[in-house]
DNA sequence: TGGACATGCAACCCGGGGGTTGCGCATCGG
DNA sequence: CCGATGCGCAACCCCCGGGTTGCATGTCCA
């Protein structure tokens, strides 16, 4: 079990890294609000080259945040929430641990100030 | 309101970036489970130099994920959950948007396959 | 069939991140 | 007062990520 948590770290880090870029995060947001979109569409409002967008989409795909399917002559990208949930769970876990640690600390302090 | 969302992106990206490093993420985890710790302590199980750890802690502090206070001759770092909550909210928001988009798409498809 | 439109691939540039070492300064404790 | 402990700062190295341009390939459609 503790080993599965260790795996969670190695799994979560690249995930956060993928989200830790303004361009990629805005791509994720666009996909989340507008649904599946082809590369050119995603490029349009991005202010950068199609190649750059493509690279970012590949990066997102590499960590499983995004999937793509070829439709005709265009390649459509869509979100995959599974990985997003992993990230969420990780953050929730950290919060919970911290709260617990804080509680222990508080109890300890109050015990020793008699 | 939509402008505040735009700000959220510029605020969330650096945050995820800070979490997107194995070393920093493990530091966050240690702080979350063991409570506030000084640099040397955090360095011990990290397998790297104190300087490296210091840099990472600074990085975490720069985005507000961590705070530090000088106690005697050592500097103690502790988590600050406020930023974590921002990240969580961002992920929740993306999930919700995507679900909504998916629902719209499904409705659209089913309408047009009579 | 010919010309748009949507991509894929590869070479190239540049800046910053992650890590280390060396040295100097303050604080603790006997 | 002196040695040990805990840090801060700065110089240095190396690699990879983010962007661009140029060219080739595959699809659509009139």
């Amino acid at each position: 079990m503790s080993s599965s948590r260790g795996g969670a770290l190695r799994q979560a880090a690249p995930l956060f890294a993928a989200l830790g870029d303004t361009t990629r995060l805005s791509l994720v947001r666009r996909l989340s609000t507008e649904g599946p979109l082809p590369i050119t569409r995603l490029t349009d409002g991005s202010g950068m080259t199609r190649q750059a967008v493509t690279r970012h989409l590949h990066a997102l795909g590499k960590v499983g945040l995004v999937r793509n399917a070829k439709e005709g002559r265009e390649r459509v990208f869509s979100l995959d929430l599974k990985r997003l949930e992993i990230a969420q769970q990780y953050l929730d876990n950290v919060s919970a641990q911290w709260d617990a640690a804080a509680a222990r600390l508080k109890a300890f302090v109050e015990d020793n100030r008699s």
Side-chain angles (χ1 to χ4, degrees), chain A:
Chain A
M1 175 182 108
S2 75
S3 65
S4 69
R5 289 224 179 290
L9 197 164
R10 289 221 181 94
Q11 194 175 15
L15 231 145
F16 287 127
L19 294 174
D21 178 283
T22 309
T23 301
R24 282 194 293 272
L25 198 52
S26 43
L27 286 176
V28 167
R29 173 156 287 288
R30 284 198 61 184
L31 287 178
S32 75
T33 59
E34 306 178 25
L37 291 174
I39 298 182
T40 306
R41 273 276 213 310
L42 288 168
T43 301
D44 280 343
S46 69
M48 73 183 69
T49 312
R50 168 180 59 85
Q51 312 298 342
V53 174
T54 300
R55 288 173 78 75
H56 283 300
L57 288 173
H58 280 352
L60 288 172
K62 199 169 188 176
V63 297
L65 275 172
V66 150
R67 297 181 317 175
N68 68 82
K70 202 168 185 178
E71 292 185 8
R73 65 178 162 182
E74 54 187 22
R75 183 171 293 273
V76 178
F77 283 79
S78 51
L79 270 187
D80 187 346
L81 291 188
K82 296 178 185 175
R83 300 310 170 106
L84 224 55
E85 290 176 5
I86 293 182
Q88 289 176 312
Q89 289 175 10
Y90 196 92
L91 294 183
D92 287 346
N93 192 308
V94 169
S95 296
Q97 296 289 328
W98 174 254
D99 285 340
R104 288 198 302 276
L105 183 59
K106 181 183 176 185
F108 174 77
V109 170
E110 294 191 345
D111 271 10
N112 288 42
R113 69 186 180 96
S114 57

